Amino acid sequence: MLGFLFGFNARLRRLIYVLASLVLVGVMAALCYGISSYVFRHTNRVVEFSFEQATAPALAAAAFFMWVIFTLQSMRIRDIGWDPVCVIPLWATVLIIDHVVAGKMPGLAITEQHQTTVIGVVVNVGLVLVLGLWPSGEQGVTTGASADFHDDANRIVSGSAPASRLAHVMGQASSHRKY
């Protein structure tokens, strides 16, 4: 189910990824403009901007953005030839640890206003550049036609997850793979 919901089993080429990301930026800009103009029109202009009225729509827009960007990144990572189930949690872990280190040791942060270190910026920018510029990987990425292998019942199973990972999860040896 998660494979279909978050795009773990789909592939997305470079150009389509970059164009989809640009479209997503435009959609999010339009959503933010709509939310802020709605709140500004429905508040008293004498009083400050009401964040209470913008909370629910902003959270819905943020959830939509996170779901779509997570799906796009998962599909692009799959196309590169990496496993998004491993890469995305590792990426998130590095960014969370970097944020904690910058918060606990402000001397390591880039500036007083930033809650990240140079290492976190390099990792994040590096992975964003990899997603946008790395060529598609044909090795290590299996499609339905090339991922045929036999399971214990000697029936052919096709899928987009690497056969070695499936064999490991199912407790089988990797010698059952057939390419």
Side-chain angles (χ1 to χ4, degrees), residues 12-26:
L12 193 65
R13 300 287 182 177
R14 276 184 293 191
L15 181 61
I16 297 171
Y17 171 76
V18 171
L19 292 176
S21 297
L22 291 175
V23 167
L24 181 62
V25 167

Side-chain angles (χ1 to χ4, degrees), residues 60-133:
F64 170 74
F65 175 77
M66 293 300 292
W67 174 64
V68 172
I69 199 67
F70 184 73
T71 302
L72 287 174
Q73 289 173 347
S74 295
M75 292 189 312
R76 181 64 187 129
I77 289 170
R78 168 70 60 204
D79 184 57
I80 290 172
W82 298 344
D83 190 7
V85 176
C86 297
V87 174
I88 291 196
L90 183 63
W91 187 359
T93 303
V94 167
L95 293 179
I96 290 170
I97 290 171
D98 180 65
H99 181 74
V100 169
V101 167
K104 296 291 182 185
M105 296 180 248
L108 295 177
I110 295 175
T111 63
E112 292 87 25
Q113 294 85 17
H114 291 91
Q115 290 293 318
T116 186
T117 64
V118 174
I119 294 171
V121 170
V122 168
V123 168
N124 199 25
V125 169
L127 285 172
V128 168
L129 287 175
V130 163
L131 290 176
L133 302 174

Side-chain angles (χ1 to χ4, degrees), residues 35-37 39-40 43-44 47-52 54:
I35 291 169
S36 62
S37 65
V39 170
F40 184 71
T43 58
N44 188 355
V47 187
E48 287 187 22
F49 188 81
S50 174
F51 287 108
E52 289 81 24

